[in-house]
Amino acid sequence: MNVLAEVQGKSLVERARQAAAVAGQFADDVDREGRFPHEAVAAMKEARLLGIQVPVHLGGEGASIADIAEISSIISQECASSSMIFAMHHIKLSSEVEHGIGDAWHEGFMRRVADEQLLIASSTTEAGIGGNLRNSICGIEVEGDICRLTKEATVISYGEQADAILITSRAHPDAAMTDQVMTVFLKGQYTLEKTHDWDTMGMRGTRSEGFLFKGEAPKEQILPQPFAEIAAESMLAVCHILWSGVWYGIAVNAVARAQDFVRKAAKANPGSMPPGALRLAEVSSKLQLIKSNVIAGLQKYDEAKANPASLTSMGFLVAMNNIKLASSQGVLDVINHCMLIAGIAAYKNNTPYSLSRHLRDAHSAQIMISNDRILSNTSNLLLAHKQNTSLLG
Ligand SMILES: Cc1cc2nc3c(=O)[nH]c(=O)nc-3n(C[C@H](O)[C@H](O)[C@H](O)COP(=O)(O)OP(=O)(O)OC[C@H]3O[C@@H](n4cnc5c(N)ncnc54)[C@H](O)[C@@H]3O)c2cc1C
């Protein structure tokens, strides 16, 4: 059996656990040093996890967003930065899978991602725009067969380690700010001049530094569909769901640590219920809410994909925004509860119950596309959208 067949003989979950074990081994060092988790990403490549979303006819495994959310959660239980890298790569890949099929260059790129396990980064954030990804200042210039782009990209996670960057811009320098395209630039087709450090509270391993990006590539690397459609029809939903998978994984591990703490206390004092036991029951229901939220998001996305008109409906957009809001807030609530259960053992670093990294990583959730920005978007939609109150979907 060749290496590829051997890897693919295992289930996705088994392969995810294999990568997660490596991620867990180095998670504290990655966090302490604020370094790229190269061991975990190498393990993801070894388990051939970077190309699983690519359709089978292009050399991938046609994995669903649900599969990828599950893998994100498994890896996140060990190292949230590694999992966020995995999730962001697949968010970018989903734009190719949903909007690049039928285009020779983009199909060739997907084949390469599957064959060579290329790692894809994202550049939407721009100086002067912040997290408003549906606006760009920079504009791509097309001259003959070539396109050129310069962007003040204030945050590109693992920009230096990526093999390709999917980057947004105006469709041309005179286009309106909202008339955007997304282009794939391959390593070697761009330069990155570092402008911002990444010395952060959490998610330290994502190495989300800022750069002055300058790229030149064949113009067919611009995705054919306008970015407005890519964002509305797939990217925002996949983003909120996969990020939520990462945050759910952080919460799962926090609860597992709190549960171990309570069990140990129960063993030490047989016959008496440890004081944290009640809170553990309470946090278990909070965790279930996050899980239900992610599952509901996955179901809604599947239903909408089967009926593409609903992908851009107000109800769908409100639901996807709510998935992000609820899971980004819920994870902090869960960790806070677990802190109360394990007390000083959770507050301290380097104990089996430590939750410092969890809490710091989870704080990125509310600002990763600011919840206030999302709330303001939803509030506009709610002026027109009538609530769906049915429990049947
Ligand atoms: C771990 C991590 C990794 C990231 N990786 C990438 C990456 O790879 N590529 C990339 O492009 N970006 C990346 N980002 C950036 C991210 O997606 C957001 O764009 C960015 O965090 C937003 O920055 P901001 O808070 O300065 O901007 P803004 O969104 O401009 O928000 C600034 C403040 O203004 C307020 N605000 C803004 N708009 C509104 C509004 N409409 N209503 C009410 N209040 C508002 C908010 O409260 C917010 O606190 C990453 C961020 C994190 C945390």
Side-chain angles (χ1 to χ4, degrees):
M1 194 187 272
N2 67 28
V3 177
L4 188 61
E6 201 174 301
V7 166
Q8 288 173 351
K10 291 184 184 161
S11 73
L12 289 177
V13 167
E14 283 171 308
R15 286 151 60 189
R17 291 210 175 110
Q18 200 178 303
V22 176
Q25 214 181 321
F26 296 96
D28 285 330
D29 188 63
V30 162
D31 176 53
R32 199 179 314 110
E33 303 299 325
R35 68 167 180 85
F36 181 72
H38 54 86
E39 301 90 347
V41 174
M44 291 174 207
K45 291 185 179 190
E46 198 181 324
R48 314 274 313 160
L49 290 174
L50 297 189
I52 52 174
Q53 194 187 168
V54 171
V56 173
H57 75 277
L58 296 176
E61 298 174 56
S64 66
I65 295 302
D67 292 328
I68 293 161
E70 173 71 355
I71 296 171
S72 302
S73 138
I74 290 171
I75 299 175
S76 190
Q77 290 170 45
E78 300 297 332
C79 173
S81 286
S82 301
S83 169
M84 188 50 90
I85 292 168
F86 174 79
M88 287 194 280
H89 161 86
H90 276 288
I91 291 163
K92 290 294 108 180
L93 189 51
S94 74
S95 296
E96 287 287 310
V97 170
E98 294 301 326
H99 308 279
I101 300 288
D103 178 283
W105 191 89
H106 291 280
E107 289 199 349
F109 176 59
M110 283 182 260
R111 275 189 192 283
R112 282 195 59 194
V113 172
D115 288 352
E116 301 168 38
Q117 295 290 296
L118 301 182
L119 179 65
I120 313 173
S122 164
S123 171
T124 56
T125 308
E126 184 176 10
I129 296 281
N132 185 1
L133 60 86
R134 284 292 292 103
N135 275 263
S136 288
I137 293 175
C138 65
I140 198 154
E141 291 176 49
V142 178
E143 195 182 313
D145 293 338
I146 296 294
C147 64
R148 287 188 195 90
L149 180 66
T150 298
K151 177 168 180 169
E152 281 188 62
T154 43
V155 195
I156 307 182
S157 294
Y158 51 95
E160 284 190 343
Q161 292 80 15
D163 300 301
I165 301 180
L166 260 70
I167 187 162
T168 51
S169 65
R170 296 189 204 204
H172 53 88
D174 300 323
M177 288 177 97
T178 51
D179 178 8
Q180 295 165 290
V181 288
M182 186 152 71
T183 307
V184 181
F185 284 92
L186 303 170
K187 204 174 190 113
Q189 295 178 328
Y190 57 83
T191 57
L192 294 173
E193 188 187 314
K194 195 167 139 184
T195 53
H196 297 76
D197 265 345
W198 185 251
D199 182 5
T200 48
M201 177 192 285
M203 288 292 182
R204 292 171 57 78
T206 59
R207 300 298 303 143
S208 312
E209 295 169 314
F211 301 96
L212 178 66
F213 172 98
K214 286 186 184 168
E216 184 176 306
K219 72 172 183 206
E220 63 262 37
Q221 294 181 210
I222 302 174
L223 271 157
Q225 232 175 319
F227 180 65
E229 291 173 18
I230 297 174
E233 289 171 17
S234 68
M235 200 189 94
L236 287 177
V238 173
C239 207
H240 292 330
I241 291 170
L242 293 188
W243 284 353
S244 295
V246 174
W247 303 327
Y248 171 66
I250 302 176
V252 166
N253 190 261
V255 172
R257 288 179 182 212
Q259 187 171 19
D260 283 350
F261 182 88
V262 172
R263 280 193 181 149
K264 197 170 169 221
K267 260 194 196 151
N269 276 307
S272 75
M273 189 62 96
L278 208 70
R279 283 216 187 274
L280 183 63
E282 212 175 2
V283 83
S284 148
S285 100
K286 288 175 185 287
L287 185 67
Q288 188 173 319
L289 277 181
I290 305 181
K291 179 173 168 171
S292 310
N293 185 46
V294 181
I295 293 173
L298 285 164
Q299 281 171 351
K300 198 130 193 100
Y301 182 57
D302 270 354
E303 285 161 18
K305 272 184 75 174
N307 173 18
S310 62
L311 276 172
T312 49
S313 72
M314 281 196 223
F316 180 69
L317 296 176
V318 169
M320 289 301 123
N321 283 351
N322 286 342
I323 304 286
K324 194 270 177 177
L325 292 168
S327 47
S328 63
Q329 289 162 358
V331 61
L332 287 171
D333 190 26
V334 164
I335 298 169
N336 194 39
H337 237 73
C338 295
M339 296 273 293
L340 294 175
I341 294 168
I344 195 85
Y347 191 68
K348 274 181 162 177
N349 292 322
N350 304 322
T351 81
Y353 314 107
S354 169
L355 293 176
S356 162
R357 175 161 53 83
H358 300 63
L359 191 62
R360 289 182 290 102
D361 286 343
H363 264 289
S364 67
Q366 297 183 94
I367 58 158
M368 225 171 149
I369 304 196
S370 157
N371 278 7
D372 282 354
R373 205 180 265 292
I374 294 175
L375 281 169
S376 119
N377 177 267
T378 301
S379 55
N380 280 326
L381 295 168
L382 288 178
L383 292 179
H385 172 64
K386 191 169 173 291
Q387 267 195 83
N388 172 0
T389 53
S390 169
L391 290 172
L392 301 176

